[in-house]
Amino acid sequence: MKLSVVIPTIGRPELARAVRSALVQTTPVHEVIVAADTTDDLTLPEDDRVRVVRVGPGAGGNAGRQRGIREATGDLIGLLDDDDEWAPTKVAVLTRLASETAGPWIATSRVRMKRMNGSELIQPAFPIRPGEDLRAYMFAKRSPRSGHGFVQASTLVFPRELALEVPFDENLKFHQDVSWLTSVASAHPDLTVLQSWESLASYYATEGSVSKRIAPEGSVAWARRFLADQPRLLGDFILTQSLGFARRSGSVGSMIRTALAGIRFGRPGPAAIVYAIGATAKQTLQSKGK
């Protein structure tokens, strides 16, 4: 199986590091396609496998991903964000998992999240259950104190044909990765999720992250569009993840409005409801203490 690496970029200085991590895999990659959402010159390692295609500027990450997928000549795609990096064995591990799999599939792994304060966190905290729907894994709140399943873009490997059949939505500016995963899971109820419990990628949490600029209203609108046929997941998503964006603003009123939207538009489970009440109460106390 030939694997094409697709790296959408806005020209971050970490791009060369990301490309190098793809080039030094123990199982060599077929090619590295850098989808540049910028007109700036790029500094890249010299390797015949590296080529640049241009999108935008300002087209967005999904436009870069889909352009790279269309241009790819491998039968597998590995996604890598321009400020992340792969462990040297990532391709070997995930392609070995995929080698005996029939039907539609995606492969993923745990990821090492590196924070700006120097601390690290390996996610997800728990694996997907055999036969579990990917959407339920990512969005259902299992208990008030537990998180969600986590599938990060730079961990993903999948057949190129899958992304041609179910393309990345080029109009989305946030929730891009989970939108595609949600669409794939919806289109393929028999989807197999191959998950390595090794940490095979590193994700750098930076202040410029798109997720830090998402408005709760936009997140709620996304959930109503992509999870309309899954009321439990719709409610759980709004009462946890959309609520998180409201909480970042420090506004208790925004948190209450977001929580009410989750109850109005979805059917959240008890764990999500308890979590939302606790998070809103904590923010209320913090606001009063200022």
Side-chain angles (χ1 to χ4, degrees):
M1 293 183 286
K2 294 180 179 180
L3 186 138
S4 299
V5 186
V6 174
I7 306 179
T9 185
I10 55 174
R12 288 190 177 99
E14 297 87 355
L15 172 62
R17 180 187 65 194
V19 173
R20 279 194 296 271
S21 77
L23 293 174
V24 298
Q25 291 293 299
T26 57
T27 295
V29 301
H30 173 58
E31 62 186 348
V32 177
I33 300 174
V34 177
D37 191 10
T38 175
T39 57
D40 294 342
D41 292 334
L42 303 176
T43 301
L44 298 170
E46 291 188 10
D47 191 295
D48 291 341
R49 293 173 291 172
V50 179
R51 57 191 175 101
V52 177
V53 298
R54 296 280 178 175
V55 296
N62 271 0
R65 291 186 181 101
Q66 200 60 32
R67 173 68 184 280
I69 290 165
R70 288 196 300 268
E71 295 278 345
T73 58
D75 49 354
L76 299 182
I77 299 294
L79 294 184
L80 177 57
D81 287 347
D82 66 353
D83 54 349
D84 297 343
E85 61 183 323
W86 285 353
T89 58
K90 173 186 161 62
V91 172
V93 172
L94 295 189
T95 54
R96 184 168 62 248
L97 285 178
S99 62
E100 298 180 358
T101 302
W105 60 270
I106 63 166
T108 182
S109 72
R110 300 181 89 188
V111 62
R112 189 179 302 274
M113 184 176 73
K114 299 188 176 184
R115 300 187 178 107
M116 294 184 66
N117 63 7
S119 65
E120 295 186 356
L121 175 67
I122 297 179
Q123 294 183 306
F126 53 86
I128 190 168
R129 297 163 176 160
E132 183 177 12
D133 184 284
L134 179 59
R135 294 167 295 178
Y137 176 66
M138 294 191 297
F139 305 133
K141 187 72 169 168
R142 296 187 181 185
S143 73
R145 303 187 71 174
S146 72
H148 301 85
F150 184 68
V151 180
Q152 200 264 347
S154 294
T155 68
L156 291 174
V157 170
F158 48 85
R160 177 173 177 266
E161 290 182 358
L162 187 64
L164 295 177
E165 176 198 348
V166 184
F168 284 81
D169 188 333
E170 299 184 20
N171 295 316
L172 284 174
K173 299 304 180 185
F174 57 86
H175 291 337
Q176 294 178 337
D177 315 328
V178 293
S179 298
W180 183 72
L181 292 168
T182 299
S183 296
V184 169
S186 179
H188 291 283
D190 59 339
L191 179 73
T192 297
V193 179
L194 306 168
Q195 185 182 53
S196 170
W197 208 234
E198 294 182 56
S199 176
L200 298 176
S202 292
Y203 158 65
Y204 292 81
T206 63
E207 286 298 328
S209 171
V210 171
S211 66
K212 297 183 183 298
R213 304 193 298 270
I214 300 173
E217 297 83 3
S219 181
V220 169
W222 177 90
R224 293 184 64 193
R225 173 184 171 189
F226 282 89
L227 298 172
D229 64 333
Q230 301 284 329
R232 163 67 189 280
L233 302 183
L234 171 59
D236 279 15
F237 182 91
I238 294 175
L239 263 64
T240 57
Q241 300 193 43
S242 300
L243 188 75
F245 298 120
R247 190 175 186 177
R248 287 178 182 177
S249 70
S251 169
V252 174
S254 179
M255 292 183 69
I256 293 172
R257 288 191 296 273
T258 302
L260 290 175
I263 296 170
R264 176 185 176 190
F265 299 122
R267 291 201 297 271
I273 293 173
V274 171
Y275 170 82
I277 292 172
T280 305
K282 185 176 180 180
Q283 185 61 46
T284 300
L285 292 174
Q286 289 177 347
S287 297
K288 288 182 178 180
K290 292 181 179 179

